[in-house]
Amino acid sequence: MQAPARPPVAEKASRHGGGVFYVAAVRVGVDTGGTFTDVVAADGRIAKVPSTRRDPSSAVGEAVAAMGGATAVAHGTTVATNAVLEHRGGRVALITTAGFADVIEIARQNRPSLYDPFADRPAPLVPRDLRYEVAGRLDAQGRELEPPEPAPEIPEDVEAVAVCLLHADLNPGHERALGAALRDAGHDVTCSSEISPEFREYERTITTVLNAYLRPPCRNYLDRLAGLAPEVTVMTSAAGLIPLSEGAERPAALMLSGPAGGVLAAAAAAAGAGFADAVTFDMGGTSTDVCLVLDGRPAPAAQRSIGGFPLRLPALDIHTIGAGGGSIAAVDPGGALRVGPHSAGAEPGPACYGRGGTEPTVTDADLVCGRIPAGAAFPGLGRLDRAAAERALAGAGVDAAGVIAVVDEAMVQAVRSVSVARGSDPRQLALVAFGGAGPLHACALADALGMPAVVVPPRAGVLSAVGILAAPRQADLVRSWAGATDLAGLDEALRDLAEQAAGALDAGAEVDGEVEVEVALDCRYAGQSHEITVPDLAGFPAEHERRNGYARPEAPVEVVALRATSRLASPTPLAALPPAAGSRRPATGPAVLSEPDCTVWVPEGWRAEVHSNGSWIIRRCQP
């Protein structure tokens, strides 16, 4: 008899019981969270391993090994975000046009907290003695007024240099010359025209500095991932995959790396279940992320804030709060119960994990209140210790039901911020719950906001990893438009940008397929200081009225920026994933529905039905 063909294998065969067996390597998606690192394989297998805070790459390697190796790894990371929040970036020098060295400190006139006179802005990422000014000037149309002078001498202990010259978004010539000279001298350089070629000097300068600041830690981290598989890509904040080398050059684009994957998968799952309009609700171990989805598309954001710094790069409009399963509950000096933003993380973790944690957390409260079944086991942790959870709550003088009520209210406000504050009525939106803790709290949020249904997709506990696996290769380009109301040449400029976006993707790198390109415009009425991104000029008045409650048909419309996004579909789309393990059956609350990757709480008065796409649809019972 002819021996069966050996399947494709990981680089190393595995030995077990004295023999050798070969495990077929597959494409995998890996998402690093504050508590767990999740992995999903293209063949449907999932795994969770505790995150390793000191070196997140260690848990990523363990997650890939749990799958028996991989032919390709798509990764969502928190390294860039943590480096900013924990001030662990590189030592950066900044070069600006003469007179603009203090832009990063002057900032805008708005205060961080309007009614708190003692609130401070974050300390500048570049100290004053490392800010250099150079002669040379462009006018507001990008025309040269004064030629540039040579690059200054930069101290040897500087790890990265940020270059941001006035009006370089319109004419990058001066910046390119200066950047080339600095690179020839051996410096790691980020030019604003390469990372964020948009107007508004303060935001463009900060974005350039952030990218330079993140390069040393992010490059080191991404380099450690390069050997995990023949192909390794990383997720951007705009929900697209890029090569590791590009991620190392543009780490500021990775701020919402993991959450973006979850939003992508949640939006697709909701649309598949008949809810094109929804709010995604991702509650993990350390934070909760919410995002508005309209007509099946997650809302975009041209600018976000991280650690108090504006970041002007394409991203999904995800709102994050410090509330998760590991959020610590405590009574403050005024006697009020507070939950978060501090988290027990993976080490020591909630008290019920049995890893030495003694402070009460949301997970402890969920366990004591019966939302997590007694005797439940979490991956890599074993059975949860209810007695330890009760001791932690009692020792801090807090009530489990009170902890849940406080954290639920914080998340209700987060959902309002992306729905009501964006002009959308939550009563017309479904709530898509995922993450390890999201399905435990979703019905309470939906009830408080009058939302008609909760959708819990298959593999909800690892949905961000699912979305990362199914994400497209993507390139996002933007270009300032100096013409304002003068639109001559606009169509040609859009076509040119679309061609550049298409060319930015190497279609042969992963799969054969057609590159899709979308273009958009940033528009505003003349005299306004804020803009809206729309597919075309014709759609601007209606979108302005939806968001702001009015339109001005007679007012001229200004174009301030052009955008183009190219996408190459993933070889592992959501529809190609095998059905999730186990079977889902209808249930009427109160009920606890346990799955390998999450637990779902169905309160009294609610009923969970199973949609044909595998999602649970949870609605209030009809009287």
Side-chain angles (χ1 to χ4, degrees), residues 40 82 197 231 258 271 363 390 490 585:
V40 175
N82 292 341
E231 179 183 283
T363 297
E390 291 174 338
L490 179 65
R585 296 181 176 85

Side-chain angles (χ1 to χ4, degrees), residues 124 175 301 333 352 385 394 412 443 461 487 508 551 601:
E175 270 197 2
C352 62
D385 187 343
V412 164
C443 289
L487 306 181
W601 168 245

Side-chain angles (χ1 to χ4, degrees), residues 80-82 84-85 122 210 255 304-311:
T81 303
N82 292 341
V84 175
L85 297 179
L210 276 170
M255 289 295 182
R304 296 190 52 81
S305 177
I306 177 72
F309 299 108
L311 181 65

Side-chain angles (χ1 to χ4, degrees), residues 154-183:
I154 303 296
E156 292 184 0
D157 62 345
V158 166
E159 298 175 85
V161 181
V163 180
C164 189
L165 303 183
L166 189 64
H167 302 311
D169 56 308
L170 297 175
N171 180 355
H174 287 189
E175 270 197 2
R176 286 175 179 170
L178 193 57
L182 289 165
R183 290 181 179 119

Side-chain angles (χ1 to χ4, degrees), residues 514-539:
E514 183 177 352
V515 174
E516 297 182 357
V517 182
E518 292 181 351
V519 295
L521 304 171
D522 287 2
C523 303
R524 64 187 184 187
Y525 287 120
Q528 287 183 327
S529 61
H530 63 277
E531 53 275 353
I532 296 174
T533 302
V534 291
D536 50 51
L537 279 171

